């Protein structure tokens, strides 16, 4: 998930660098008194997600519905889904 989050962050920083930085700082400093324009932040995230989807091939969607665009993220998600399925198939005697 870290690689996927970093990819999304990259697009947000391209579209609205100041707002993205402000949101990151607010997350890092819980209780921060900085005022964030949440409407603008939501709009920025929607635009970033649209551009991310347009510019990157969807490599995998896991059992929970999360999308993966990076090879590493897709590979790890496939492995996790496989393990989850295997664990679900184990029966106790």
């Amino acid at each position: 998930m870290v690689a996927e989050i970093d990819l999304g962050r990259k697009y947000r920083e391209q579209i609205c660098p100041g707002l993205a930085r402000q949101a990151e700082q607010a997350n890092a400093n819980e209780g921060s008194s900085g005022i964030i324009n949440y409407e603008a932040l939501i709009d920025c995230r929607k635009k970033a997600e649209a551009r991310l989807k347009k510019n990157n091939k969807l490599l995998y969607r896991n059992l929970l519905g999360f999308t993966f665009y990076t090879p590493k993220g897709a590979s790890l998600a496939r492995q996790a889904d496989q393990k989850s399925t295997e664990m679900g198939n184990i029966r106790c005697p």
Side-chain angles (χ1 to χ4, degrees):
M1 293 298 280
V2 171
E4 304 304 316
I5 291 168
D6 286 343
L7 182 61
R9 182 179 297 127
K10 180 182 97 173
Y11 278 90
R12 283 192 305 277
E13 288 172 354
Q14 289 173 356
I15 293 169
C16 52
L19 190 58
R21 236 182 337 272
Q22 187 181 8
E24 290 292 327
Q25 273 186 312
N27 285 337
N29 303 322
E30 289 183 34
S32 172
S33 61
I35 297 173
I36 297 175
N37 180 342
Y38 287 100
E39 244 179 81
L41 181 60
I42 290 168
D43 185 52
C44 173
R45 287 179 180 235
K46 286 180 182 178
K47 288 177 183 176
E49 187 174 334
R51 189 177 294 175
L52 187 151
K53 287 178 182 179
K54 180 182 175 189
N55 295 341
N56 296 276
K57 180 181 175 189
L58 174 64
L59 299 178
Y60 187 69
R61 186 180 308 273
N62 75 358
L63 295 174
L64 298 173
F66 290 102
T67 55
F68 293 86
Y69 296 95
T70 64
K72 183 177 182 179
S75 175
L76 292 171
R78 274 189 200 91
Q79 291 174 40
D81 282 352
Q82 184 177 358
K83 276 288 186 210
S84 179
T85 301
E86 290 170 6
M87 297 297 290
N89 291 332
I90 295 175
R91 304 279 184 233
C92 294

